[in-house]
Amino acid sequence: MLSRIMVGLPSVENREMILKTLLSKEKHENLDFKELATMTEGFSGSDLKNLCITAAYRPVRELIQQERNKEMEKKKKEAESVSSDDASNNNDNEEREITLRSLNMEDMKQAKNQ
């Protein structure tokens, strides 16, 4: 026999604690957890987890887009240098450190709107 247990939605205080826990390992700046808890009225714990995951992907997407733009610029420059016969040993083997920006309130608000 299958039984169901109904669990109520978390209170504003509990949502704040859940958000702090979910985002504890994320790099973030100026996150107002009280405001986040207030604006997520009616969210379950699972909803909060999905919100955090969606928000955490925004800096990653931005980084990927920046890398794509850099690649397109590089290819454009290579095409221009080849067409102008300026194939001067152009080794761009620089080691770049990729840094992800911190999560912010705008990420959380955008994730909520999705």
Side-chain angles (χ1 to χ4, degrees), residues 82-94:
V82 167
S83 66
S84 67
D85 259 355
D86 182 26
S88 58
N89 206 0
N90 199 4
N91 272 352
D92 283 335
N93 285 350
E94 76 228 25

Side-chain angles (χ1 to χ4, degrees), residues 2-8:
L2 189 66
S3 62
R4 289 184 179 203
I5 300 172
M6 297 304 286
V7 178

Side-chain angles (χ1 to χ4, degrees), residues 17-77:
M17 285 190 332
I18 291 167
L19 287 164
K20 283 180 179 175
T21 303
L22 289 170
L23 295 171
S24 65
K25 292 188 171 91
E26 290 293 326
K27 192 169 75 170
H28 57 77
E29 62 183 35
N30 303 325
L31 284 185
D32 183 345
F33 288 99
K34 287 197 186 313
E35 183 184 342
L36 286 171
T38 303
M39 69 186 227
T40 53
E41 182 71 38
F43 279 45
S44 67
S46 178
D47 295 333
L48 293 171
K49 181 179 179 185
N50 289 333
L51 173 78
C52 292
I53 290 169
T54 302
Y57 275 121
R58 286 194 74 223
V60 174
R61 281 194 201 101
E62 284 176 15
L63 189 66
I64 290 170
Q65 190 59 50
Q66 287 170 9
E67 290 301 309
R68 280 188 188 142
N69 292 345
K70 283 179 190 172
E71 274 301 308
M72 286 171 57
E73 278 297 312
K74 188 177 169 186
K75 285 179 181 172
K76 189 176 166 186
K77 284 179 182 173

